[in-house]
Amino acid sequence: MGCPGAGKGTQSARLKEVFNLKHISTGDVLRAEIASGSSLGQQIAGLINQGNLVPDELIISMLEKLVSTTQQGLIFDGFPRTVTQAQALDEMMMRLGRQINAVVMIDLPESEVVKRLSTRRLCKECSKPAATATQTVCECGGELYVRADDAPESIKHRLEVYRAQTLPVKDYYKNSGKYVEINGNQTPDEVFGDIKNVLEKIK
Ligand code: AP5
Ligand code: MG
C-alpha cells in the first residue's frame, strides 16, 4: 500500500525477485486493458486518466481470476484500495485456503509525490520507471512514456481519492498484527532494505 508515487511499483519489482512472488499491480492490469483497445478499456481510461478509482466489483472479479489460477506467492501492488476491496480479499483468501502474511504501507509525504510523478517516465514493455532523467529508452530496450494520470490535475485528484477512499484501509489492517509502515522518503535501496527485513522475519 501507499499513496500515488510512494514506490509501490519500484519496490514490488525488486521484492518479487527476492521472494519469488508473482507481482500483481492492479494499475498495470487496468492499463493493459486500456492498451488492448477494448470497450471496457475505454471506460476504464475515462476513470483512470482523471484519477478516479474503477468500481470495486470490476477490480475484485479481475483479481479473483488472477489469484485463483496460481499457487505462487503473491504481491499485490495498489490493491486493496477501499475497505470493500479489503473485505473481498479476506473472503477470497479464505475461500482459496490462502492467507495474507504482511500488509506493507510505504509512507511518503505528499510534498514528495508531485516531485516524483511529474518527472516519471515508464517503460511500455516492462512497466518499470526509468532510472535516470536523461534516459531515452528503458534498460530492457522498451520505449518510455508518460502516464496520462501523471498530469498535475490528475495527481492532485489521485491524492484526494487516496485520502478519502484508501487511507481508511489502513485502519482496517492496523490491528491485524500484519500491518507495517515503512519510511518511503529514503533511497530506493533503503526502502527495499527495510521491507526485506520485515518480510524475512515472517518468511
Ligand atoms: P496505480 O498504477 O496503482 O497508481 P498509483 O497508486 O497512483 O501509484 P503509482 O503507480 O503512480 O506510484 P507507485 O507507488 O507505484 O510509485 P513508483 O514505484 O512508480 O493505479 C493507477 C490508477 O488505476 C488508479 O488511480 C485507479 O484509477 C486505478 N486503480 C488501480 N488499482 C485500483 C484498485 N485496486 N481499485 C480501483 N482502482 C484502481 O514510483 C514513482 C516514481 O518515483 C518513479 O519515477 C520512481 O522511479 C520514483 N521513485 C520510486 N521510489 C523512489 C525513492 N525511494 N526515491 C526517489 N524516487 C523514487
Ligand atoms: Mg505503480
Side-chain angles (χ1 to χ4, degrees):
M1 292 186 64
C3 66
K8 303 181 294 295
T10 301
Q11 297 301 328
S12 300
R14 296 179 67 166
L15 291 165
K16 75 170 183 185
E17 302 296 339
V18 174
F19 293 98
N20 186 29
L21 301 170
K22 182 177 163 76
H23 172 197
I24 299 181
S25 155
T26 39
D28 285 348
V29 174
L30 294 168
R31 283 183 287 276
E33 187 65 42
I34 296 172
S36 78
S38 68
S39 61
L40 177 63
Q42 281 174 14
Q43 289 170 41
I44 292 171
L47 293 164
I48 289 196
N49 294 350
Q50 304 284 318
N52 290 309
L53 297 185
V54 308
D56 286 332
E57 313 80 66
L58 175 65
I59 289 287
I60 293 163
S61 73
M62 213 174 77
L63 253 289
E64 177 105 40
K65 276 185 212 133
L66 291 168
V67 173
S68 60
T69 51
T70 180
Q71 284 303 310
Q72 198 181 355
L74 302 163
I75 180 161
F76 295 116
D77 158 4
F79 176 87
R81 235 170 165 107
T82 63
V83 171
T84 303
Q85 291 179 20
Q87 288 164 338
L89 178 62
D90 277 344
E91 268 171 41
M92 200 190 306
M93 292 282 113
M94 205 183 312
R95 213 172 336 113
L96 297 170
R98 303 190 71 165
Q99 61 177 4
I100 297 170
N101 300 106
V103 178
V104 178
M105 164 67 88
I106 306 177
D107 262 331
L108 186 71
E110 288 193 6
S111 54
E112 288 300 312
V113 172
V114 179
K115 252 189 257 171
R116 284 191 188 180
L117 295 186
S118 54
T119 55
R120 173 170 64 176
R121 287 164 313 136
L122 290 149
C123 175
K124 278 189 178 169
E125 300 302 323
C126 70
S127 305
K128 284 190 191 158
T132 67
T134 49
Q135 241 170 286
T136 49
V137 285
C138 177
E139 279 137 20
C140 79
E143 196 185 326
L144 298 173
Y145 76 103
V146 174
R147 265 171 49 175
D149 62 345
D150 280 347
E153 274 311 304
S154 298
I155 296 175
K156 190 165 162 258
H157 189 58
R158 279 156 70 197
L159 283 169
E160 287 162 0
V161 168
Y162 176 77
R163 272 184 242 118
Q165 299 191 55
T166 306
L167 267 187
V169 180
K170 178 172 162 172
D171 293 330
Y172 183 84
Y173 287 119
K174 215 161 50 186
N175 300 318
S176 66
K178 294 167 184 167
Y179 178 82
V180 276
E181 284 185 1
I182 302 288
N183 174 12
N185 202 8
Q186 315 180 76
T187 66
D189 283 349
E190 287 167 339
V191 178
F192 178 66
D194 284 358
I195 301 176
K196 192 163 159 274
N197 281 343
V198 167
L199 296 189
E200 269 166 356
K201 287 192 193 121
I202 54 158
K203 214 169 147 188

